[in-house]
Amino acid sequence: DPTDARLRADQAVAALQQARVRLGLPAEGTDDRVVPEQTSLVAQARAVLEDARLTRDRLAGLWKEGAIARAQLDTAEASLAVAEGRYQDALEEVRTRQALLLQRRSELELARQHLADTSVRSPIDGAVSERRTSVGEFLAAGAPVATIVKLHPLRLRLAVPEREAGGIRAGQRVMVTVEGALGQARGRVARISPAITEQSRTLLVEAEVDNEGGGLRPGAFARADIVVAGDLRVVTVPASALVSFAGIEKVLTVQQNRAVEVRVQTGRRHGD
């Protein structure tokens, strides 16, 4: 509810306008610069000072001629000293009002910030996955209001076995498969943990996965292939040409017009 914050902001605006008027500035404006000697308060004190100085000088000349008593000259000198003090007081008063104007300006900015804080804004683009409060509740500062999930790009957290950790580099392509989602999603390795997790002996890797269409949902489990050597050429054969018996894998090849069994060691399977 911004009512209280709006009233405090209005009050700060009025106080700022009052401080500007006391310095001889327009009530509205952003330029707070003031020349103290040009303000009415200092100008009035300066006029009184000049009048007192002229009176003292005139009476001093008359006293030298013996036309007046010494007491009249002493009174004029005392009036001049008072006028000088009032002139200094006027300068200090203007400087005090300048400082007060800066204070009022800061108070207005603070009030406006409090008013802006009454609007709850998400720092990211996304969707509300959970509303944590209801209209009318009183919340402490920092209390959660809603949970926001970012849909694009998604962050994928992977646990890579320690034996494979040496080949992981930032920027490598990642092919992601999620249960219930059609096709594969693509991403890139964005961050790599500096240490191996002791309990699982795995390396934590974070990848950013494109999800412009919103086909993937945050929180899902995924399997991923990190392409560590995308340009490596390998021999491939149809899966039906592979013979497996007792844990031994073989293929049939032709040597000197004869079919010959050759033991092989297979790598990854890609479709058929």
Side-chain angles (χ1 to χ4, degrees), residues 1 76-77 131 149 153 263 267:
D1 182 5
E77 290 180 346
R131 197 169 87 169
V149 293
R263 293 181 60 177

Side-chain angles (χ1 to χ4, degrees), residues 186-207:
R186 298 175 180 269
R188 294 277 179 181
V189 174
R191 289 165 291 275
I192 303 174
S193 173
I196 299 293
T197 303
E198 295 182 0
Q199 292 78 6
S200 60
R201 307 310 304 172
T202 58
L203 176 68
L204 183 61
V205 176
E206 288 187 355

Side-chain angles (χ1 to χ4, degrees), residues 20 25 55 57 92 99 114 124-125 177 195 201 206 215 244 270:
R20 286 178 58 85
L25 296 172
T55 300
D57 294 342
E92 294 174 0
H114 288 166
I124 62 172
D125 293 332
T177 303
R201 307 310 304 172
E206 288 187 355
S244 179
H270 182 72

Side-chain angles (χ1 to χ4, degrees), residues 93-203:
E93 176 63 22
V94 170
R95 295 190 182 100
T96 301
R97 293 181 182 182
Q98 285 179 303
L100 181 62
L101 177 58
L102 294 177
Q103 179 182 349
R104 294 290 184 259
R105 179 73 67 182
S106 299
E107 291 173 352
L108 175 58
E109 295 300 326
L110 184 61
R112 286 175 174 171
Q113 182 60 50
H114 288 166
L115 179 59
D117 289 342
T118 60
S119 297
V120 181
R121 300 178 182 272
S122 171
I124 62 172
D125 293 332
V128 177
S129 65
E130 181 183 4
R131 197 169 87 169
R132 308 286 292 275
T133 186
S134 301
V135 175
E137 287 190 47
F138 284 89
L139 303 178
V145 176
T147 300
I148 310 293
V149 293
K150 190 174 183 178
L151 300 178
H152 172 75
L154 293 180
R155 183 176 64 177
L156 174 64
R157 304 185 70 186
L158 302 171
V160 178
E162 182 179 6
R163 64 179 180 275
E164 305 288 349
I168 305 300
R169 300 288 184 273
Q172 291 175 333
R173 289 188 295 123
V174 180
M175 311 301 295
V176 183
T177 303
V178 179
E179 292 291 338
L182 299 178
Q184 284 186 324
R186 298 175 180 269
R188 294 277 179 181
V189 174
R191 289 165 291 275
I192 303 174
S193 173
I196 299 293
T197 303
E198 295 182 0
Q199 292 78 6
S200 60
R201 307 310 304 172
T202 58
L203 176 68

Side-chain angles (χ1 to χ4, degrees), residues 46 48 80 90 107 112 136 194 199 221 256 266:
R46 185 171 60 248
V48 173
L80 176 60
E107 291 173 352
R112 286 175 174 171
Q199 292 78 6
F221 287 94
Q256 297 180 357
T266 59

